[in-house]
PDB file of all heavy atoms in Angstrom:
ATOM      1  N   THR A 101      80.174 315.797 -76.819  1.00 98.00           N
ATOM      2  CA  THR A 101      79.603 315.678 -78.160  1.00 98.00           C
ATOM      3  C   THR A 101      80.705 315.790 -79.211  1.00 98.00           C
ATOM      4  O   THR A 101      81.800 316.308 -78.950  1.00 98.00           O
ATOM      5  CB  THR A 101      78.570 316.786 -78.429  1.00 98.00           C
ATOM      6  OG1 THR A 101      79.244 318.050 -78.491  1.00 98.00           O
ATOM      7  CG2 THR A 101      77.505 316.829 -77.337  1.00 98.00           C
ATOM      8  N   ALA A 102      80.371 315.337 -80.414  1.00 98.00           N
ATOM      9  CA  ALA A 102      81.315 315.443 -81.529  1.00 98.00           C
ATOM     10  C   ALA A 102      81.585 316.906 -81.859  1.00 98.00           C
ATOM     11  O   ALA A 102      82.720 317.271 -82.205  1.00 98.00           O
ATOM     12  CB  ALA A 102      80.762 314.710 -82.748  1.00 98.00           C
ATOM     13  N   ALA A 103      80.572 317.759 -81.743  1.00 98.00           N
ATOM     14  CA  ALA A 103      80.755 319.183 -82.047  1.00 98.00           C
ATOM     15  C   ALA A 103      81.747 319.815 -81.083  1.00 98.00           C
ATOM     16  O   ALA A 103      82.601 320.617 -81.479  1.00 98.00           O
ATOM     17  CB  ALA A 103      79.412 319.903 -81.977  1.00 98.00           C
ATOM     18  N   GLN A 104      81.652 319.470 -79.805  1.00 99.00           N
ATOM     19  CA  GLN A 104      82.603 319.995 -78.823  1.00 99.00           C
ATOM     20  C   GLN A 104      84.012 319.506 -79.137  1.00 99.00           C
ATOM     21  O   GLN A 104      84.984 320.263 -79.040  1.00 99.00           O
ATOM     22  CB  GLN A 104      82.194 319.557 -77.419  1.00 99.00           C
ATOM     23  CG  GLN A 104      80.934 320.217 -76.897  1.00 99.00           C
ATOM     24  CD  GLN A 104      80.489 319.646 -75.563  1.00 99.00           C
ATOM     25  OE1 GLN A 104      80.870 318.529 -75.186  1.00 99.00           O
ATOM     26  NE2 GLN A 104      79.676 320.404 -74.843  1.00 99.00           N
ATOM     27  N   CYS A 105      84.114 318.233 -79.525  1.00 99.00           N
ATOM     28  CA  CYS A 105      85.428 317.678 -79.836  1.00 99.00           C
ATOM     29  C   CYS A 105      86.033 318.356 -81.054  1.00 99.00           C
ATOM     30  O   CYS A 105      87.233 318.636 -81.099  1.00 99.00           O
ATOM     31  CB  CYS A 105      85.310 316.164 -80.062  1.00 99.00           C
ATOM     32  SG  CYS A 105      86.906 315.325 -80.084  1.00 99.00           S
ATOM     33  N   GLU A 106      85.209 318.646 -82.048  1.00 98.00           N
ATOM     34  CA  GLU A 106      85.687 319.332 -83.247  1.00 98.00           C
ATOM     35  C   GLU A 106      86.215 320.729 -82.897  1.00 98.00           C
ATOM     36  O   GLU A 106      87.246 321.163 -83.430  1.00 98.00           O
ATOM     37  CB  GLU A 106      84.567 319.429 -84.266  1.00 98.00           C
ATOM     38  CG  GLU A 106      84.211 318.094 -84.907  1.00 98.00           C
ATOM     39  CD  GLU A 106      82.935 318.165 -85.725  1.00 98.00           C
ATOM     40  OE1 GLU A 106      82.398 319.284 -85.890  1.00 98.00           O
ATOM     41  OE2 GLU A 106      82.477 317.101 -86.195  1.00 98.00           O
ATOM     42  N   THR A 107      85.526 321.428 -82.013  1.00 98.00           N
ATOM     43  CA  THR A 107      85.977 322.748 -81.580  1.00 98.00           C
ATOM     44  C   THR A 107      87.323 322.646 -80.871  1.00 98.00           C
ATOM     45  O   THR A 107      88.232 323.453 -81.100  1.00 98.00           O
ATOM     46  CB  THR A 107      84.939 323.380 -80.635  1.00 98.00           C
ATOM     47  OG1 THR A 107      83.712 323.571 -81.338  1.00 98.00           O
ATOM     48  CG2 THR A 107      85.412 324.732 -80.121  1.00 98.00           C
ATOM     49  N   PHE A 108      87.441 321.646 -80.004  1.00 99.00           N
ATOM     50  CA  PHE A 108      88.695 321.426 -79.277  1.00 99.00           C
ATOM     51  C   PHE A 108      89.853 321.142 -80.223  1.00 99.00           C
ATOM     52  O   PHE A 108      90.903 321.798 -80.177  1.00 99.00           O
ATOM     53  CB  PHE A 108      88.509 320.283 -78.281  1.00 99.00           C
ATOM     54  CG  PHE A 108      89.783 319.670 -77.789  1.00 99.00           C
ATOM     55  CD1 PHE A 108      90.785 320.450 -77.235  1.00 99.00           C
ATOM     56  CD2 PHE A 108      89.992 318.299 -77.884  1.00 99.00           C
ATOM     57  CE1 PHE A 108      91.977 319.876 -76.785  1.00 99.00           C
ATOM     58  CE2 PHE A 108      91.168 317.720 -77.442  1.00 99.00           C
ATOM     59  CZ  PHE A 108      92.170 318.517 -76.887  1.00 99.00           C
ATOM     60  N   VAL A 109      89.681 320.149 -81.091  1.00 99.00           N
ATOM     61  CA  VAL A 109      90.762 319.755 -81.995  1.00 99.00           C
ATOM     62  C   VAL A 109      91.136 320.908 -82.926  1.00 99.00           C
ATOM     63  O   VAL A 109      92.321 321.137 -83.212  1.00 99.00           O
ATOM     64  CB  VAL A 109      90.370 318.498 -82.793  1.00 99.00           C
ATOM     65  CG1 VAL A 109      91.407 318.202 -83.862  1.00 99.00           C
ATOM     66  CG2 VAL A 109      90.213 317.307 -81.859  1.00 99.00           C
ATOM     67  N   SER A 110      90.146 321.640 -83.391  1.00 98.00           N
ATOM     68  CA  SER A 110      90.405 322.758 -84.300  1.00 98.00           C
ATOM     69  C   SER A 110      91.310 323.803 -83.651  1.00 98.00           C
ATOM     70  O   SER A 110      92.151 324.423 -84.329  1.00 98.00           O
ATOM     71  CB  SER A 110      89.082 323.398 -84.724  1.00 98.00           C
ATOM     72  OG  SER A 110      89.298 324.420 -85.667  1.00 98.00           O
ATOM     73  N   ALA A 111      91.170 323.994 -82.340  1.00 98.00           N
ATOM     74  CA  ALA A 111      92.001 324.969 -81.632  1.00 98.00           C
ATOM     75  C   ALA A 111      93.462 324.524 -81.556  1.00 98.00           C
ATOM     76  O   ALA A 111      94.354 325.344 -81.316  1.00 98.00           O
ATOM     77  CB  ALA A 111      91.457 325.191 -80.222  1.00 98.00           C
ATOM     78  N   CYS A 112      93.687 323.235 -81.790  1.00 98.00           N
ATOM     79  CA  CYS A 112      95.043 322.674 -81.679  1.00 98.00           C
ATOM     80  C   CYS A 112      95.727 322.470 -83.026  1.00 98.00           C
ATOM     81  O   CYS A 112      96.884 322.046 -83.065  1.00 98.00           O
ATOM     82  CB  CYS A 112      94.985 321.335 -80.942  1.00 98.00           C
ATOM     83  SG  CYS A 112      94.327 321.411 -79.268  1.00 98.00           S
ATOM     84  N   ARG A 113      95.034 322.773 -84.119  1.00 98.00           N
ATOM     85  CA  ARG A 113      95.577 322.536 -85.459  1.00 98.00           C
ATOM     86  C   ARG A 113      95.551 323.825 -86.275  1.00 98.00           C
ATOM     87  O   ARG A 113      94.568 324.563 -86.267  1.00 98.00           O
ATOM     88  CB  ARG A 113      94.752 321.471 -86.188  1.00 98.00           C
ATOM     89  CG  ARG A 113      94.559 320.161 -85.431  1.00 98.00           C
ATOM     90  CD  ARG A 113      95.849 319.433 -85.184  1.00 98.00           C
ATOM     91  NE  ARG A 113      95.642 318.117 -84.586  1.00 98.00           N
ATOM     92  CZ  ARG A 113      96.426 317.588 -83.664  1.00 98.00           C
ATOM     93  NH1 ARG A 113      97.481 318.271 -83.215  1.00 98.00           N
ATOM     94  NH2 ARG A 113      96.179 316.378 -83.182  1.00 98.00           N
ATOM     95  N   TYR A 114      96.630 324.053 -86.999  1.00 98.00           N
ATOM     96  CA  TYR A 114      96.702 325.219 -87.873  1.00 98.00           C
ATOM     97  C   TYR A 114      95.855 325.000 -89.128  1.00 98.00           C
ATOM     98  O   TYR A 114      95.626 323.854 -89.531  1.00 98.00           O
ATOM     99  CB  TYR A 114      98.149 325.486 -88.279  1.00 98.00           C
ATOM    100  CG  TYR A 114      99.016 326.029 -87.162  1.00 98.00           C
ATOM    101  CD1 TYR A 114     100.140 325.338 -86.729  1.00 98.00           C
ATOM    102  CD2 TYR A 114      98.715 327.244 -86.550  1.00 98.00           C
ATOM    103  CE1 TYR A 114     100.952 325.833 -85.706  1.00 98.00           C
ATOM    104  CE2 TYR A 114      99.516 327.756 -85.523  1.00 98.00           C
ATOM    105  CZ  TYR A 114     100.624 327.038 -85.109  1.00 98.00           C
ATOM    106  OH  TYR A 114     101.413 327.541 -84.088  1.00 98.00           O
ATOM    107  N   PRO A 115      95.394 326.087 -89.752  1.00 98.00           N
ATOM    108  CA  PRO A 115      94.677 325.953 -91.019  1.00 98.00           C
ATOM    109  C   PRO A 115      95.549 325.215 -92.052  1.00 98.00           C
ATOM    110  O   PRO A 115      96.772 325.382 -92.037  1.00 98.00           O
ATOM    111  CB  PRO A 115      94.434 327.409 -91.448  1.00 98.00           C
ATOM    112  CG  PRO A 115      94.424 328.168 -90.161  1.00 98.00           C
ATOM    113  CD  PRO A 115      95.462 327.489 -89.303  1.00 98.00           C
ATOM    114  N   PRO A 116      94.956 324.387 -92.905  1.00 98.00           N
ATOM    115  CA  PRO A 116      93.516 324.196 -93.118  1.00 98.00           C
ATOM    116  C   PRO A 116      92.878 323.146 -92.229  1.00 98.00           C
ATOM    117  O   PRO A 116      91.668 322.934 -92.300  1.00 98.00           O
ATOM    118  CB  PRO A 116      93.464 323.766 -94.582  1.00 98.00           C
ATOM    119  CG  PRO A 116      94.729 322.971 -94.760  1.00 98.00           C
ATOM    120  CD  PRO A 116      95.775 323.698 -93.939  1.00 98.00           C
ATOM    121  N   ARG A 117      93.668 322.477 -91.376  1.00 98.00           N
ATOM    122  CA  ARG A 117      93.103 321.409 -90.537  1.00 98.00           C
ATOM    123  C   ARG A 117      92.291 321.954 -89.363  1.00 98.00           C
ATOM    124  O   ARG A 117      91.465 321.249 -88.800  1.00 98.00           O
ATOM    125  CB  ARG A 117      94.226 320.508 -90.023  1.00 98.00           C
ATOM    126  CG  ARG A 117      95.006 319.801 -91.126  1.00 98.00           C
ATOM    127  CD  ARG A 117      96.074 318.913 -90.533  1.00 98.00           C
ATOM    128  NE  ARG A 117      96.872 318.246 -91.559  1.00 98.00           N
ATOM    129  CZ  ARG A 117      97.959 318.766 -92.094  1.00 98.00           C
ATOM    130  NH1 ARG A 117      98.371 319.959 -91.691  1.00 98.00           N
ATOM    131  NH2 ARG A 117      98.638 318.115 -93.026  1.00 98.00           N
ATOM    132  N   GLY A 118      92.584 323.183 -88.959  1.00 98.00           N
ATOM    133  CA  GLY A 118      91.887 323.779 -87.824  1.00 98.00           C
ATOM    134  C   GLY A 118      91.927 325.277 -87.912  1.00 98.00           C
ATOM    135  O   GLY A 118      92.173 325.845 -88.983  1.00 98.00           O
ATOM    136  N   ASP A 119      91.721 325.936 -86.781  1.00 98.00           N
ATOM    137  CA  ASP A 119      91.743 327.399 -86.798  1.00 98.00           C
ATOM    138  C   ASP A 119      92.654 327.965 -85.710  1.00 98.00           C
ATOM    139  O   ASP A 119      92.421 329.055 -85.198  1.00 98.00           O
ATOM    140  CB  ASP A 119      90.325 327.952 -86.656  1.00 98.00           C
ATOM    141  CG  ASP A 119      89.633 327.516 -85.373  1.00 98.00           C
ATOM    142  OD1 ASP A 119      90.289 326.874 -84.517  1.00 98.00           O
ATOM    143  OD2 ASP A 119      88.435 327.827 -85.212  1.00 98.00           O
ATOM    144  N   ARG A 120      93.708 327.221 -85.372  1.00 98.00           N
ATOM    145  CA  ARG A 120      94.676 327.730 -84.407  1.00 98.00           C
ATOM    146  C   ARG A 120      95.359 328.968 -84.968  1.00 98.00           C
ATOM    147  O   ARG A 120      95.855 328.972 -86.098  1.00 98.00           O
ATOM    148  CB  ARG A 120      95.718 326.657 -84.071  1.00 98.00           C
ATOM    149  CG  ARG A 120      96.755 327.131 -83.062  1.00 98.00           C
ATOM    150  CD  ARG A 120      97.814 326.071 -82.786  1.00 98.00           C
ATOM    151  NE  ARG A 120      98.860 326.619 -81.923  1.00 98.00           N
ATOM    152  CZ  ARG A 120      99.989 325.990 -81.612  1.00 98.00           C
ATOM    153  NH1 ARG A 120     100.219 324.771 -82.104  1.00 98.00           N
ATOM    154  NH2 ARG A 120     100.897 326.567 -80.833  1.00 98.00           N
TER     155      ARG A 120
END
Side-chain angles (χ1 to χ4, degrees):
T101 68
Q104 290 174 339
C105 193
E106 289 170 6
T107 297
F108 162 53
V109 172
S110 184
C112 300
R113 307 296 186 218
Y114 288 120
R117 298 181 182 89
D119 59 6
R120 180 182 174 187

